C-alpha cells in the first residue's frame, strides 16, 4: 500500500505512468469494444478464406469478440503502442486457440500429413502422373507397412449430419439421431422416481428448524462458504459444519427409510 507521503513525492510523470499501467475504466472499455467490432469482422473474413467450409463464420466472429473483450480489459497504454495492433494479436490468438482445440489432429500428425502431401506433389510433378506406392515409399524412406500406417493415421475425418440420412435420395432412411443411442437420456420411470424423491426431500426440508434450513439454503443455493455462514449467524465455523453434517445425515436417513 502506498502511503500519503509517498504519493506526495511522486512527480507528475510518475503519476501519469501509474495511471497508464492501471486497468481501463468501464467507459473506456466499452468504447474500445464498440469501436473495434469491425476489426473482428475484418480479421475473421481474412482467416476464413484459408479454413474448411464446415467452420462457420459467425462462430469465429463470436470467438474473436472474446479476444477483443480480453484485449480491451487488459490494454495498458504505457505498454502497448496502439490498441488496434494489440487487439489484432489477441483476436487472432483467441481464434487460433479455438481452432487448435477443434482440430482432431495433433501437431505431430499434421506435420506428418504435410510431409506426405509434399512428397506426393513432388513425385507427381517429376513423373507427370499418378504416383505409385513404391516411388512414394522411396521418397518418404518408409516401408510399405509404415506408409500404410501413416496414411491411416492422417486419413481425413468425415463429418456427417445427425439430422439427415446418409443418402438423402432414400426418404425411408432413418437419421442418425434416430439410430445412435443417447447415453444422457433418462428413462421415463427413472425420471418419475427422481421427481418423487425430489418432492419428498423438499417436503422434509420444509419441516426442518429455521437454522438448519437456512444453513442448507445458504450453502447449496447461495454458494456461501461455511465461514461466511458462520459470520451471519454469529457462530463458529465448526458449529456450522456440525449443523450441516447433522442435517444432511438426517435427510439421508429419511430418504433411505422412505425408499426402503
Amino acid at each position: 500500500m502506498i502511503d500519503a507521503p509517498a504519493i506526495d513525492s511522486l512527480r507528475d510523470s510518475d503519476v501519469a505512468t501509474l495511471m497508464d499501467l492501471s486497468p481501463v475504466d468501464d467507459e473506456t472499455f466499452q468504447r474500445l469494444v464498440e469501436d473495434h467490432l469491425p476489426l473482428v469482422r475484418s480479421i475473421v473474413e481474412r482467416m476464413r478464406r484459408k479454413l474448411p467450409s464446415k467452420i462457420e463464420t459467425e462462430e469465429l466472429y463470436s470467438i474473436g469478440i472474446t479476444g477483443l473483450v480480453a484485449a480491451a480489459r487488459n490494454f495498458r497504454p504505457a505498454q502497448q503502442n496502439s490498441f488496434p495492433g494489440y487487439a489484432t494479436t489477441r483476436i487472432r490468438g483467441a481464434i487460433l486457440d479455438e481452432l487448435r482445440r477443434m482440430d482432431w489432429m495433433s501437431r505431430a500428425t499434421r506435420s506428418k500429413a504435410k510431409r506426405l502431401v509434399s512428397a506426393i506433389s513432388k513425385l507427381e510433378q517429376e513423373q507427370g502422373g499418378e504416383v505409385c506406392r513404391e516411388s512414394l515409399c522411396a521418397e518418404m524412406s518408409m516401408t510399405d507397412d509404415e506408409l500404410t500406417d501413416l496414411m491411416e493415421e492422417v486419413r481425413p475425418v468425415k463429418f456427417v449430419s445427425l439430422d439427415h440420412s446418409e443418402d438423402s435420395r432414400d426418404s425411408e432412411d432413418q437419421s442418425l439421431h434416430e439410430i445412435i443411442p443417447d447415453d444422457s437420456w433418462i428413462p421415463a420411470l427413472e425420471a418419475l422416481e427422481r421427481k418423487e424423491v425430489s418432492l419428498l426431500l423438499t417436503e422434509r426440508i420444509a419441516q426442518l428448524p429455521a437454522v438448519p434450513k437456512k444453513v442448507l439454503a445458504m450453502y447449496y443455493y447461495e454458494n456461501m462458504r461455511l465461514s461466511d455462514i458462520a459470520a451471519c449467524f454469529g457462530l463458529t465455523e465448526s458449529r456450522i459444519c456440525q449443523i450441516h453434517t447433522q442435517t444432511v445425515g438426517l435427510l439421508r436417513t429419511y430418504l433411505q427409510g422412505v425408499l426402503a
Side-chain angles (χ1 to χ4, degrees), residues 241-252:
C241 182
Q242 182 183 26
I243 293 174
H244 170 267
T245 302
Q246 291 176 345
T247 306
V248 171
L250 177 66
L251 294 174
R252 183 182 292 112

Side-chain angles (χ1 to χ4, degrees), residues 48-90:
R48 182 68 182 80
R49 301 187 191 110
K50 301 179 181 179
L51 298 173
S53 58
K54 64 183 178 64
I55 299 179
E56 298 182 359
T57 301
E58 289 305 313
E59 183 177 358
L60 294 181
Y61 182 65
S62 176
I63 298 166
I65 290 178
T66 64
L68 173 63
V69 170
R73 192 58 83 183
N74 294 283
F75 182 60
R76 302 294 184 272
Q79 296 176 339
Q80 290 90 25
N81 293 329
S82 68
F83 180 74
Y86 174 64
T88 297
T89 301
R90 294 298 298 262

Side-chain angles (χ1 to χ4, degrees), residues 215 219 226-227 229-230 235-248:
V215 168
Y219 186 77
L226 293 177
S227 57
I229 299 174
L235 301 173
T236 63
E237 183 176 351
S238 60
R239 176 55 181 152
I240 293 297
C241 182
Q242 182 183 26
I243 293 174
H244 170 267
T245 302
Q246 291 176 345
T247 306
V248 171

